[in-house]
Amino acid sequence: QRPGLEKIIEQDITLLTGLAELVSIAEFGESYDLVALAEEFGTALRGELNFTEEGANGDKLRRNLAKSRWFDPTKVAIPEIFWNLTTEKLLVMEWVDGDPILLAKYDGMPGIESMAQKKAIANLLTRVFFQQICLDGFFHADPHPGNLFYLRDGRVALIDCGMVGRMDPRTQQLLIEMMLAMVNLDAQRCSQLAIDMAGSTSKTVNVSNLESDYDRLLRRYYNLSLSELSFSQMFYEVLEVSRENRLRMPANMGLCAKAIANLEGIARNLDPEYNFAEQIKPLMTDLFGRQLIGEAPLQGLLRTALDIKNLSLQSPRQLEVLLDRVTSESLIWNVAMKDVEALRRTLDSAANRLSFSILVGSLIMGAAVVSSQAQLSNVYYLSDILFAAASLIGLWLVISILRSGRLR
C-alpha cells in the first residue's frame, strides 16, 4: 500500500460526505439517500485500505462458496490468505495460475469446444453470484473482468475482495421477489415491493402513479428477444422509477446493481446469447420451493402440528377470558389513528390563518370608521395605527402563504 494514502482517502471521503449533505438539502437530494450512499462508499473504501479486512472477506467468501446446491464448488477458487505474513498494509495470498476471464484461451480444453466452455462459465458465474446475493447476503461487489480469472486447471477464481456488499434477510427476500416480478414483467408486484423496500420513506408515494410508471417501463420489454433483453439495464430503470416517485431504496441496492451489471457484461462477452433472466428463473423456483417446504420438511410438518395442538389447547381458555371481559364491561379497546397529528397541525394552521384574516379585516374596517367620523387629530393617529397594524399582519400572512407553496 502506497505511503500516505490513508490521509488522502480520508480527505476525499470527508469532502464527498459534505457534498452529499449539501445536495440532500436541495430538491434533487430528496429523491436519493445521498448521505447513506456516501457513507457506504466511505466504509467500502476504508475496508479496501485495511488488507486484514480484505483478507477476512476473502476467507468468508471462500467458506460460503465451499458448498452449494446450484454449482460444483470445486470449479470456483478464492485465493487463500497467508495470515502469518499479512498486515493492514501488506496482503500475501495464494498465487493463482491463469488469465483474466475475457483474455483466457478456451481452445484446447479436452473434450469441450470453445463456445460450450464459454456458455458453461457464464452459467457458473450466474449461479455463483446468485448464491452470494440471494442466499449468503454477502457478495463480491466489484466483479469486473480484471477480478475474475480463468485458471489453467479449468476453475474460475474471484480475486480482490476489498469491496463487498452485505444484505439483511428482509432486503434479500424483497430483492428476490422484485427480480421475479421483473422477469415476469409484473408492474403491480414491482410497485408493491418497491414500497416495501423503501419502508418509512414510502408514506407520501402515489401508488397509482408508481404502478403506472412501472407498467409503462416494463411494456418496453414485452416484445424483446432474449438476446436483446438487458436485465441489468431493466434493474437500473426500475430503481430510477422508484427515485422519480420519491422512494428511497436501501443503499446496498447500488452495489447489488453494480455487481449484476458487471456480471451480465462479462457473461454476454462470453456468450452473445446469454440471458440473465432465463438463467435465474430455475434458481428462483428452487429457492422459493425450499423456502416453502424447508430444508427438513418432516421436522417443519411436526413443528406445525405441535403449534396447532398447543393452539387448540389454549383457545378454550382464551375464549373464556374474552367472553368474561366482554360481559363484565372491563374490555378496553385501544384505537390508533395514523397521521392524526399531521391533520391536527394542518387544521391549526388553517384556523390561525382564518383568524388573522378576520383580524386584518376588522382592523381595516375599524380604521375606516374612525377616520370617517372622528374630528380630533389624535384620533386620526389611531386610525393610522390601525391601518399600519392591518398592513403588517396582512403582509406577513401573504408571505407565509407564499412560502408554504400552497397558494393554489
Side-chain angles (χ1 to χ4, degrees):
Q1 189 174 128
R2 289 197 294 272
L5 193 61
E6 282 186 354
K7 184 177 179 180
I8 298 174
I9 292 297
E10 284 300 327
Q11 290 174 348
D12 290 344
I13 292 175
T14 301
L15 179 61
L16 184 64
T17 305
L19 288 173
E21 292 172 350
L22 183 62
V23 177
S24 295
I25 302 174
E27 182 179 355
F28 173 82
E30 295 178 357
S31 303
Y32 295 94
D33 194 355
L34 296 178
V35 176
L37 287 173
E39 289 175 351
E40 183 181 6
F41 177 77
T43 301
L45 201 54
R46 290 188 185 100
E48 291 196 70
L49 291 176
N50 186 345
F51 288 162
T52 58
E53 186 174 333
E54 180 175 337
N57 291 339
D59 281 352
K60 183 173 182 178
L61 202 59
R62 188 187 316 105
R63 288 193 300 269
N64 290 345
L65 299 179
K67 53 183 179 180
S68 176
R69 59 175 179 262
W70 290 333
F71 60 88
D72 182 1
T74 62
K75 296 293 184 182
V76 181
I78 309 291
E80 182 182 353
I81 307 299
F82 293 94
W83 287 107
N84 59 322
L85 301 174
T86 295
T87 68
E88 289 188 3
K89 307 294 184 184
L90 177 67
L91 182 64
V92 183
M93 67 178 70
E94 173 191 2
W95 174 265
V96 289
D97 189 14
D99 300 309
I101 198 161
L102 297 183
L103 302 177
K105 303 297 182 183
Y106 301 97
D107 297 320
M109 294 295 295
I112 301 177
E113 295 181 1
S114 174
M115 185 49 67
Q117 182 68 8
K118 290 181 179 181
K119 287 179 179 290
I121 293 172
N123 180 267
L124 174 64
L125 287 174
T126 303
R127 291 169 177 260
V128 166
F129 276 90
F130 191 82
Q131 173 171 315
Q132 291 178 56
I133 294 172
C134 298
L135 277 184
D136 302 331
F138 182 84
F139 59 95
H140 192 301
D142 196 22
H144 61 73
N147 284 342
L148 299 177
F149 272 60
Y150 184 72
L151 307 186
R152 306 295 179 191
D153 58 9
R155 294 182 299 165
V156 173
L158 281 68
I159 67 170
D160 189 3
C161 300
M163 184 176 289
V164 295
R166 293 174 175 83
M167 233 171 244
D168 60 273
R170 178 181 177 276
T171 306
Q172 270 184 290
Q173 184 63 34
L174 291 174
L175 175 62
I176 295 168
E177 295 185 33
M178 175 69 84
M179 293 170 73
L180 182 61
M182 290 166 58
V183 169
N184 293 329
L185 304 178
D186 187 345
Q188 184 177 10
R189 185 61 177 155
C190 273
S191 61
Q192 180 184 349
L193 291 168
I195 292 172
D196 290 342
M197 276 190 184
S200 59
T201 63
S202 61
K203 293 180 179 178
T204 59
V205 67
N206 188 317
V207 179
S208 59
N209 285 350
L210 179 65
E211 187 175 329
S212 176
D213 289 346
Y214 274 133
D215 182 66
R216 187 163 49 251
L217 165 65
L218 296 178
R219 280 182 186 278
R220 299 209 310 262
Y221 293 94
Y222 280 167
N223 298 320
L224 292 183
S225 65
L226 295 181
S227 59
E228 296 174 322
L229 182 63
S230 171
F231 186 84
S232 58
Q233 177 65 22
M234 188 196 303
F235 189 46
Y236 168 77
E237 291 179 354
V238 165
L239 296 180
E240 187 67 11
V241 167
S242 301
R243 181 198 67 80
E244 291 171 355
N245 283 271
R246 299 184 179 277
L247 286 177
R248 287 187 176 183
M249 293 291 104
N252 50 20
M253 284 295 102
L255 286 178
C256 181
K258 175 179 178 292
I260 291 175
N262 283 338
L263 172 62
E264 187 174 31
I266 293 171
R268 283 186 181 272
N269 271 282
L270 294 170
D271 176 14
E273 298 179 354
Y274 173 85
N275 180 261
F276 185 82
E278 288 299 314
Q279 292 281 345
I280 65 173
K281 265 187 176 180
L283 305 182
M284 285 194 288
T285 301
D286 178 61
L287 184 59
F288 285 132
R290 288 181 179 269
Q291 288 178 345
L292 181 63
I293 300 174
E295 297 292 340
L298 181 58
Q299 293 179 10
L301 181 62
L302 292 175
R303 187 167 56 249
T304 302
L306 182 61
D307 291 339
I308 293 175
K309 176 189 173 184
N310 292 334
L311 179 63
S312 65
L313 293 175
Q314 296 171 4
S315 295
R317 176 58 184 163
Q318 291 174 343
L319 182 60
E320 180 185 354
V321 172
L322 177 62
L323 291 175
D324 181 64
R325 288 186 177 181
V326 170
T327 54
S328 64
E329 298 183 355
S330 63
L331 187 65
I332 299 176
W333 298 92
N334 293 322
V335 180
M337 298 182 65
K338 294 183 177 180
D339 298 330
V340 173
E341 183 62 24
L343 177 61
R344 185 191 65 78
R345 287 197 299 268
T346 302
L347 292 175
D348 285 346
S349 178
N352 290 338
R353 288 180 181 177
L354 180 61
S355 300
F356 275 115
S357 300
I358 295 173
L359 178 61
V360 169
S362 301
L363 289 174
I364 293 175
M365 291 178 63
V369 170
V370 171
S371 177
S372 62
Q373 296 182 1
Q375 303 296 325
L376 300 176
S377 59
N378 55 350
V379 178
Y380 277 116
Y381 291 141
L382 177 60
S383 68
D384 291 341
I385 293 173
L386 291 176
F387 271 122
S391 300
L392 289 174
I393 296 175
L395 181 61
W396 172 81
L397 185 61
V398 170
I399 292 174
S400 66
I401 293 174
L402 291 175
R403 290 184 63 183
S404 69
R406 296 186 177 91
L407 183 60
R408 292 181 293 177

